[in-house]
Amino acid sequence: MMKSTKLVRCVAAAICFLLLADGVHHAVARPHRERHTDDYTMFVFGDSFVDAGNRPRTSEKTVLSRAWFYPYGMSDSSHRNRATGRVSDGLVQSDILAKILGQDESPPPSRVRRSNPSGVNFAVGGSGVFDSAEAPSLRQQVDQFKSLLDNGIIDHGDLQRSVALVAVSTGRDYFQRINQETGSGDMRRLSGQVTDEIVDAVTRIKGLGVGKVLVNLLPPLGCLPWQSIASNYDHCDGQGNMLAGMHNSALRGKLESSPYDVYMLDLYTIFADIVQSNSASGSRLQETHTPCCANQQDPINGYCGQEDDNGREQYSLCDNPDTFFFWDYIHPTQAGWEAVMERLEGSIEEFLEIQSSWS
């Protein structure tokens, strides 16, 4: 069991950073492929790993709206190096998947409520499977999808060749519900509830007519900087990784026994390999433990981009985000996501039966 003081720090960090925004590399440099009528239409559900700007921009920077302000977006040349509501220095997982499908970037956020041939992104930073006041849950996002279908904003014909990405990946549902008294039995029951909700969402998405579904497994939560900070980023936290492993085992068992055409994206293995090997093969990543952007004044409760009442920066920023795997205490940089998705690209193309977009 994690020591109580360490767990309290982890829970405090989780609540602060998982209720967030909601925040020119190898994949960006790849040649663009023209979109054809047989290309996939893409629908995205989940949290800040895949949110492409569903939280409205506000006039003042807060922990919830920070992804609309500098330094977020600073590496995103496709958007003039400006913040777009993505919780990263640039593009996020949904953007890189879209590139694999031959698109320029993630489908537009659902808040614009208009039809787009590339699809719709329903994901919102801070979301999880349980209802909350901060962001629509996974179930509510699927409700939004159904509503757009029912109202004809999304045409049922767009589903003939479609793929959904379901990404509940930051561990928010767990770290808002555990404390120093939580035992392994309670953790296992909680993972059963969380994974049941994910499977239910997949079932509903398939029932609405989406052809194929990609589902994120949890990354090694103990290797995310908000947990490894307890050891000065020296090693991953075993308790966090055990929790992620418990979740992934339950989700694998349920999805593998389902009748649906689903492929699980093993973020756990890829994140762990990159972090623990201190590099990513074929990439320029050099720092895989510490975040590029961090609040040095208050590393537990502060956030990347935070300023004091006089506008003074309360955070530190690395010189070269493209050499860092982590952007902040939870989220990868654009370069980090490119390294992760490069390892998944071949298996995704095989699952979707598409030829490489970059050959």
Side-chain angles (χ1 to χ4, degrees):
M1 177 66 64
M2 186 184 299
K3 292 182 179 179
S4 61
T5 55
K6 182 177 178 183
L7 184 56
V8 169
R9 294 181 73 195
C10 290
V11 173
I15 292 174
C16 177
F17 289 104
L18 295 177
L19 296 181
L20 44 83
D22 8 9
V24 187
H25 309 299
H26 295 60
V28 175
R30 286 167 164 172
H32 171 61
R33 185 185 66 163
E34 291 296 324
R35 181 171 175 80
H36 300 290
T37 56
D38 61 347
D39 283 343
Y40 277 95
T41 301
M42 179 177 165
F43 300 100
V44 183
F45 308 86
D47 54 30
S48 51
F49 271 20
V50 292
D51 182 2
N54 263 316
R55 278 200 176 275
R57 181 168 185 165
T58 60
S59 58
E60 294 184 3
K61 183 192 301 183
T62 68
V63 65
L64 296 177
S65 67
R66 69 186 187 275
W68 285 103
F69 297 87
Y70 180 86
Y72 292 85
M74 62 180 293
S75 303
D76 186 0
S77 60
S78 60
H79 296 101
R80 301 181 182 179
N81 303 102
R82 295 178 180 176
T84 59
R86 291 165 168 83
V87 190
S88 176
D89 64 313
L91 303 180
V92 295
Q93 184 189 11
S94 53
D95 295 302
I96 311 303
L97 174 60
K99 288 179 177 291
I100 292 173
L101 299 180
Q103 302 174 15
D104 291 329
E105 61 182 0
S106 166
S110 58
R111 64 184 178 85
V112 303
R113 295 190 66 83
R114 65 173 181 264
S115 178
N116 188 287
S118 66
V120 181
N121 187 324
F122 297 91
V124 183
S127 178
V129 304
F130 299 121
D131 293 345
S132 75
E134 289 79 18
S137 66
L138 179 62
R139 177 182 295 273
Q140 290 169 332
Q141 291 175 29
V142 179
D143 288 342
Q144 293 173 16
F145 177 45
K146 181 177 184 300
S147 176
L148 294 184
L149 278 169
D150 291 344
N151 291 314
I153 298 175
I154 297 175
D155 193 288
H156 284 272
D158 294 334
L159 305 184
Q160 293 180 359
R161 186 169 170 83
S162 59
V163 59
L165 171 61
V166 178
V168 180
S169 314
T170 59
R172 175 187 187 276
D173 293 303
Y174 293 106
F175 291 106
Q176 286 195 321
R177 290 168 174 79
I178 65 170
N179 55 46
Q180 57 266 36
E181 305 299 327
T182 306
S184 60
D186 290 333
M187 299 286 285
R188 195 171 300 279
R189 281 188 288 275
L190 180 58
S191 68
Q193 294 172 356
V194 172
T195 53
D196 278 348
E197 288 292 330
I198 295 174
V199 172
D200 181 69
V202 170
T203 301
R204 293 183 63 204
I205 290 168
K206 289 290 295 182
L208 290 169
V210 173
K212 297 192 174 186
V213 182
L214 301 167
V215 181
N216 275 1
L217 297 180
L218 280 183
L221 298 177
C223 295
L224 302 183
W226 69 266
Q227 282 215 320
S228 64
I229 192 177
S231 64
N232 197 29
Y233 309 115
D234 182 63
H235 59 265
C236 300
D237 176 71
Q239 183 80 4
N241 285 357
M242 181 184 73
L243 174 58
M246 190 181 298
H247 169 102
N248 291 341
S249 178
L251 187 58
R252 279 187 185 277
K254 293 171 183 179
L255 288 178
E256 287 176 350
S257 62
S258 75
Y260 305 118
D261 205 3
V262 176
Y263 183 72
M264 285 166 277
L265 304 180
D266 190 359
L267 299 190
Y268 189 103
T269 298
I270 297 174
F271 272 55
D273 183 50
I274 291 174
V275 171
Q276 294 172 2
S277 66
N278 298 310
S279 66
S281 176
S283 78
R284 294 178 287 175
L285 298 178
Q286 299 174 10
E287 177 51 64
T288 60
H289 293 84
T290 60
C292 169
C293 185
N295 187 313
Q296 299 298 332
Q297 305 297 321
D298 188 357
I300 300 300
N301 297 304
Y303 59 88
C304 169
Q306 188 171 8
E307 299 173 346
D308 65 17
D309 293 338
N310 295 316
R312 290 188 294 261
E313 296 177 354
Q314 302 296 295
Y315 62 96
S316 63
L317 185 65
C318 68
D319 292 331
N320 298 301
D322 59 347
T323 64
F324 278 67
F325 180 65
F326 287 110
W327 167 243
D328 59 16
Y329 289 109
I330 292 178
H331 306 89
T333 59
Q334 176 173 303
W337 276 125
E338 289 169 357
V340 170
M341 295 303 287
E342 182 177 12
R343 298 192 184 195
L344 289 166
E345 182 173 355
S347 59
I348 290 173
E349 290 172 341
E350 182 178 355
F351 172 68
L352 298 178
E353 299 178 311
I354 60 176
Q355 294 184 343
S356 173
S357 303
W358 322 114
S359 58

